[in-house]
């Protein structure tokens, strides 16, 4: 008798990602001398990431992949250090190695959710680089994707936000999300039938957090009004939007050198002649290069900068997240941090 359908589904999703990793990440020398690629799972102790960790522990040895795990302690709740230690113990019990907990300090830039996310990814990047990991698996599900698209729509953040989370992202496609095609209930069911203990983060129920309100208030209302296919439709919107956004991003990257002068400054007249969607992407790329955090840079910020091109009336500098100031001088855009 085979595994429960939910367990089979999560294992298949992880197996596909591991096959990709083996194809894209040739063996590399590591301190231990073990040349098998290392894949880490980022685990909070919740149902999604615990299901992911169990599937990785099952599939990795069968494909000749080393498997490890990491949990990030944000220090935002009482007893978070004890909970992180418990997650480490569970990951080790799966046979994952290396396994570790990393404590981070969460700042305030961009709000509590964005600041926690930035701190978490910085910690995961550091762990992955220290261990030479070929990939880090994240437990985001189709439900998380639908919430991300709805948040982007509400913020008016443009097509890139509507494209949601990518299956692969980060430097060299480091971050992989095997569960974007699976719903949250599948992961929870997989934990239940395997008797895996899970931790439900109280922040996920706290209406003070925007994503929590989307999850427990906005999406249920939409499903009641429009039917149960809303989550799947939003996830499909993400896939379609990503194709369009990727094409426009590639166009912007190709054209950017042609709108800079010999000193590298952006020329307003050349920018003006670009299609608006491409021009705004060039401006966003320039802002990020100048030090503005991508996660805190919204469409409204870029629209303000764009008015220095399309609605120039001698206005002053535009202040962006990350203490980046943009001003127009002598027909050129000057971006400085500080």
């Amino acid at each position: 008798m085979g595994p429960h359908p939910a367990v089979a589904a999560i294992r298949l999703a992880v197996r596909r990602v591991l096959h990709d990793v083996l194809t894209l990440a040739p063996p590399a020398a590591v301190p231990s001398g073990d040349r098998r690629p290392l894949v880490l799972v980022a685990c909070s102790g919740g149902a999604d990431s615990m299901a992911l960790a169990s599937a990785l522990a099952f599939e990795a040895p069968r494909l000749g992949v080393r498997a490890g795990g990491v949990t990030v302690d944000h220090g935002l709740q009482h007893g978070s250090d004890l909970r992180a230690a418990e997650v480490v113990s569970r990951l080790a019990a799966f046979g994952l190695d290396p396994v570790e907990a990393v404590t981070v300090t969460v700042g305030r830039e961009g709000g509590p959710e964005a600041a926690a996310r930035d701190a978490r990814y910085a910690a995961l990047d550091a762990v992955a680089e220290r261990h030479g990991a070929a990939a880090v698996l994240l437990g985001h599900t189709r439900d998380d994707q639908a919430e991300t698209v709805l948040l982007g729509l509400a913020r008016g953040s443009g097509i890139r936000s509507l494209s949601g989370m990518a299956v692969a992202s980060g430097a060299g496609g480091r971050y992989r999300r095997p569960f974007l095609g699976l719903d949250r209930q599948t992961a929870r069911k997989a934990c239940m039938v395997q008797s895996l203990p899970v931790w439900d983060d109280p922040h996920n129920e706290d209406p003070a957090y925007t994503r929590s309100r989307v999850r427990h208030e906005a999406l249920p209302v939409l499903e009641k009004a429009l039917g149960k296919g809303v989550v799947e439709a939003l996830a499909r919107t993400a896939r379609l939007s990503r194709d369009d956004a990727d094409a426009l991003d590639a166009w912007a990257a190709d054209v950017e050198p042609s709108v800079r002068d010999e000193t590298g400054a952006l020329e307003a007249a050349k920018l003006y002649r670009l299609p608006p969607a491409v021009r705004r992407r060039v401006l966003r790329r320039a802002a990020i290069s100048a030090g503005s955090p991508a996660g805190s840079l919204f469409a409204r910020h870029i629209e303000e900068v764009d008015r220095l091109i399309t609605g120039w009336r001698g206005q002053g500098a535009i202040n962006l997240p990350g203490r980046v100031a943009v001003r127009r001088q002598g027909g050129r855009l000057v971006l400085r941090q500080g």
Side-chain angles (χ1 to χ4, degrees):
M1 183 176 177
H4 187 278
V7 175
I10 65 169
R11 288 178 178 175
L12 176 60
V14 169
R15 190 182 315 139
R16 287 171 173 165
V17 169
L18 294 182
H19 276 299
D20 287 344
V21 170
L22 286 169
T23 300
L24 299 174
V30 294
S32 67
D34 190 337
R35 293 173 59 84
R36 294 176 300 162
L38 170 65
V39 173
L40 300 173
V41 57
C43 185
S44 66
D48 302 338
S49 58
M50 284 297 291
L52 182 58
S54 71
L56 176 62
F58 181 85
E59 293 292 341
R62 288 160 174 78
L63 294 175
V65 175
R66 292 186 299 135
V70 57
T71 187
V72 178
D73 175 11
H74 298 85
L76 298 176
Q77 301 173 30
H78 178 70
S80 63
D81 55 337
L82 299 177
R83 192 170 299 110
E86 184 178 354
V87 172
V88 164
S89 176
R90 291 175 184 173
L91 295 179
F94 285 147
L96 301 183
D97 181 39
V99 172
E100 65 180 275
V102 181
T103 302
V104 299
T105 300
V106 177
R108 298 182 179 180
E109 183 75 33
E113 291 169 279
R117 182 180 61 247
D118 290 345
R120 179 167 60 253
Y121 278 103
L124 293 175
D125 277 336
V127 172
E129 289 168 10
R130 176 155 37 86
H131 290 290
V136 178
L137 306 189
L138 305 175
H140 297 121
T141 65
R142 186 171 62 195
D143 300 81
D144 295 308
Q145 184 75 299
E147 293 161 10
T148 300
V149 173
L150 198 55
L151 283 166
L153 184 63
R155 291 168 178 158
S157 299
I159 194 171
R160 177 52 72 186
S161 284
L162 296 185
S163 67
M165 295 174 285
V167 173
S169 65
R174 166 180 290 159
Y175 294 107
R176 304 299 183 99
R177 298 175 175 86
F179 291 175
L180 285 185
L182 302 176
D183 61 29
R184 191 173 287 138
Q185 279 304 114
T186 298
R188 188 166 287 276
K189 176 69 76 172
C191 289
M192 184 181 72
V193 299
Q194 296 176 99
S195 300
L196 300 178
V198 299
W199 171 66
D200 291 315
D201 186 347
H203 282 173
N204 291 336
E205 308 290 331
D206 189 345
Y209 293 92
T210 307
R211 185 175 286 271
S212 176
R213 296 196 300 275
V214 168
R215 180 175 301 180
H216 298 292
E217 299 176 29
L219 270 174
V221 168
L222 285 175
E223 288 185 334
K224 182 177 180 180
L226 302 176
K228 289 292 184 182
V230 169
V231 168
E232 291 84 351
L234 288 170
R236 186 165 59 253
T237 295
R239 291 194 300 273
L240 296 173
S241 297
R242 181 163 296 278
D243 289 341
D244 293 346
D246 286 347
L248 288 168
D249 284 349
W251 186 354
D254 288 343
V255 78
E256 183 176 347
S258 70
V259 298
R260 292 185 180 273
D261 65 14
E262 62 279 0
T263 70
L266 292 167
E267 298 189 69
K270 292 180 179 178
L271 285 166
Y272 184 83
R273 291 193 289 269
L274 293 176
V278 178
R279 181 176 61 244
R280 288 170 185 161
R281 279 168 168 76
V282 171
L283 296 175
R284 178 178 173 81
R285 286 168 57 87
I288 293 171
S289 295
S292 193
S296 304
L297 195 60
F298 301 138
R300 67 177 185 272
H301 297 127
I302 303 304
E303 287 171 0
E304 290 182 27
V305 176
D306 195 40
R307 280 193 284 273
L308 295 177
I309 307 297
T310 62
W312 174 242
R313 298 183 305 278
Q315 58 264 47
I318 304 299
N319 294 313
L320 301 178
R323 298 181 295 109
V324 172
V326 188
R327 57 174 48 84
R328 177 167 170 164
Q329 294 177 346
R332 292 167 174 77
L333 290 190
V334 178
L335 296 87
R336 289 199 179 96
Q337 187 178 41

